[in-house]
Amino acid sequence: ALDQRVVNNSLYSGHACGEFGLRWDRWPSKIWASSMAFSGPLPEAIAVHHANFLIDKAPSADPMPKLEQLKQLASELHERKEQVQATATVRPWATFMEAARGCQAMLDYRSRHFGERRPGPEWSMLAEGHVARPGGYSEKAAKKRAKETMAPDGADG
């Protein structure tokens, strides 16, 4: 994930544009990743699905969990296309979306890479007030602050 952090810092801070003249933009929502379940509902049209997130850990050499996710997504899109209203049954994709939004691994990932615990430079390309814009978080400094608040008055930490 270090390479992703370096690229994100370079792009979102404006460094890539200023130093290299690199212009970029985000993919349209029809290029969808399962980690985007946290960001809102499934788009109406999907051209590509990137199964980059699973609720349960799986060996990287085992393609079956991601293939199962792709089958669930295909089923969801088919049901939408056919406009089948499955009010009495639980649809697997809806279950995945709900589970992803509450999954502690996903919440931690988003906090560390795009949220209040993101280290690195300010991402000035993001709007003022965006949770990921400030950056600058230090895990080491946070642990030190926590340790200091736990130490009794007058104690050497």
Side-chain angles (χ1 to χ4, degrees):
L2 181 59
D3 58 337
Q4 181 180 5
R5 181 171 291 161
V6 169
V7 169
N8 282 341
N9 284 341
S10 183
L11 294 174
Y12 284 111
S13 70
H15 179 80
C17 181
E19 291 293 316
F20 310 112
L22 180 64
R23 294 177 49 195
W24 67 282
D25 202 347
R26 298 179 71 151
W27 291 107
S29 62
K30 66 182 181 180
I31 298 176
W32 200 80
S34 52
S35 62
M36 293 168 65
F38 195 91
S39 302
L42 191 63
E44 287 301 316
I46 294 182
V48 175
H49 173 241
H50 176 42
N52 66 334
F53 177 75
L54 297 169
I55 301 297
D56 299 312
K57 288 189 176 194
S60 59
D62 181 6
M64 295 313 294
K66 290 187 176 187
L67 289 173
E68 182 59 34
Q69 185 181 101
L70 184 57
K71 287 179 190 176
Q72 289 176 356
L73 177 62
S75 174
E76 176 70 18
L77 294 174
H78 177 74
E79 288 181 25
R80 282 185 177 188
K81 186 176 180 180
E82 297 297 318
Q83 297 182 3
V84 174
Q85 298 299 320
T87 56
T89 61
V90 175
R91 291 161 57 178
W93 192 255
T95 302
F96 169 80
M97 294 282 282
E98 185 64 31
R101 290 181 191 121
C103 179
Q104 193 59 50
M106 174 63 87
L107 294 169
D108 287 343
Y109 171 82
R110 291 185 60 79
S111 175
R112 285 191 321 272
H113 295 278
F114 305 104
E116 67 280 356
R117 292 172 35 216
R118 186 186 65 75
E122 177 183 12
W123 285 357
S124 58
M125 304 300 284
L126 295 177
E128 290 284 344
H130 190 287
V131 67
R133 183 174 172 140
Y137 182 81
S138 167
E139 193 77 37
K140 185 176 180 180
K143 286 180 181 178
K144 183 178 179 183
R145 282 191 303 275
K147 186 176 180 182
E148 288 170 354
T149 60
M150 298 289 278
D153 288 337
D156 295 316

